[in-house]
Amino acid sequence: MEITMTDDPFGVREGEVAVELPKDFDAGVYFIGRIRTPWVRRDQCPKNARESDDVCTIEIDARYVAALQSVETCSHLLVLYWMDKARRDLVLQAPRHTSAQRGTFALRSPVRPNPIAASVVRLIKVEGTRLSVVGLDCLDGTPLLDIKPYFASTDAVPDATVGWRADDKR
Ligand SMILES: C[S@@+](CC[C@H](N)C(=O)[O-])C[C@H]1O[C@@H](n2cnc3c(N)ncnc32)[C@H](O)[C@@H]1O
């Protein structure tokens, strides 16, 4: 394991640890569309899905249009997307807003072995292959992996906690 300091905004910060990634992939994914947002630089993006009320557009490839049947009946959707600009080799990270070092799997950082992001969005409208939604936090052009209905009855866990938030200075 090696720590490298760099000026690259996607580089390694002090206290972060990178590992060598495997040579082979175990699976492939299909990008099923792209997400259109107002943000072209990472520092413009909301830090999480509740930080902005901006309307974003999910553009699905035309071949999947039939898969949108009944989606318009959903008030909220779970959107999975691929953080294509994120490095994938960090196991320990030092988020900017805190001095603490944390494990990748304890963070919602886009930097992870498989840079899959998840957000619950509010659906505003569906027009053909375009979905207007509120609640995304990604760069314009981010690849789309999947869309699922959000079921408050089974997905919401109102008393869930993340212990390290108590130490977070932000
Ligand atoms: C903290 S992540 C949270 C993503 C998602 N809501 C989740 O919880 O999995 C959001 C941040 O990822 C970064 N980001 C957005 N789009 C990206 C992309 N395509 N590639 C790499 N990083 C991206 C931005 O800095 C943004 O503020």
Side-chain angles (χ1 to χ4, degrees):
M1 284 191 274
E2 189 180 334
I3 302 175
T4 325
M5 297 299 295
T6 157
D7 292 334
D8 177 353
F10 298 102
V12 178
R13 287 192 284 270
E14 188 173 357
E16 297 189 320
V17 175
V19 294
E20 188 177 344
L21 291 167
K23 299 278 178 284
D24 301 317
F25 292 97
D26 297 314
V29 296
Y30 295 112
F31 292 162
I32 60 167
R34 296 273 163 178
I35 298 174
R36 297 292 163 200
T37 76
W39 310 298
V40 295
R41 294 197 325 264
R42 281 200 318 169
D43 61 355
Q44 299 171 327
C45 286
K47 292 287 162 285
N48 63 67
R50 297 291 161 263
E51 204 178 282
S52 168
D53 287 333
D54 286 353
V55 177
C56 300
T57 304
I58 297 174
E59 295 179 348
I60 312 272
D61 287 355
R63 77 176 74 232
Y64 301 115
V65 69
L68 291 175
Q69 186 174 314
S70 301
V71 164
E72 76 284 357
T73 67
C74 303
S75 70
H76 291 76
L77 300 168
L78 174 61
V79 179
L80 302 175
Y81 39 110
W82 187 263
M83 296 302 222
D84 56 347
K85 305 285 193 301
R87 59 182 304 147
R88 302 175 62 168
D89 57 350
L90 295 190
V91 289
L92 289 173
Q93 300 185 44
R96 281 181 210 287
H97 59 270
T98 169
S99 54
Q101 181 192 51
R102 306 206 190 283
T104 289
F105 301 141
L107 295 169
R108 297 295 286 258
S109 163
V111 174
R112 48 209 318 115
N114 295 305
I116 296 170
S119 290
V120 175
V121 303
R122 178 164 54 88
L123 179 63
I124 296 173
K125 63 180 175 185
V126 182
E127 290 176 308
T129 55
R130 295 160 66 89
L131 281 63
S132 300
V133 303
V134 171
L136 286 172
D137 51 13
C138 59
L139 293 167
D140 185 46
T142 294
L144 177 68
L145 292 179
D146 207 352
I147 296 175
K148 304 180 187 216
Y150 174 78
F151 287 93
S153 54
T154 49
D155 292 333
V157 185
D159 55 349
T161 58
V162 175
W164 58 251
R165 285 299 294 270
D167 309 326
D168 199 336
K169 298 291 177 286
R170 190 165 60 162

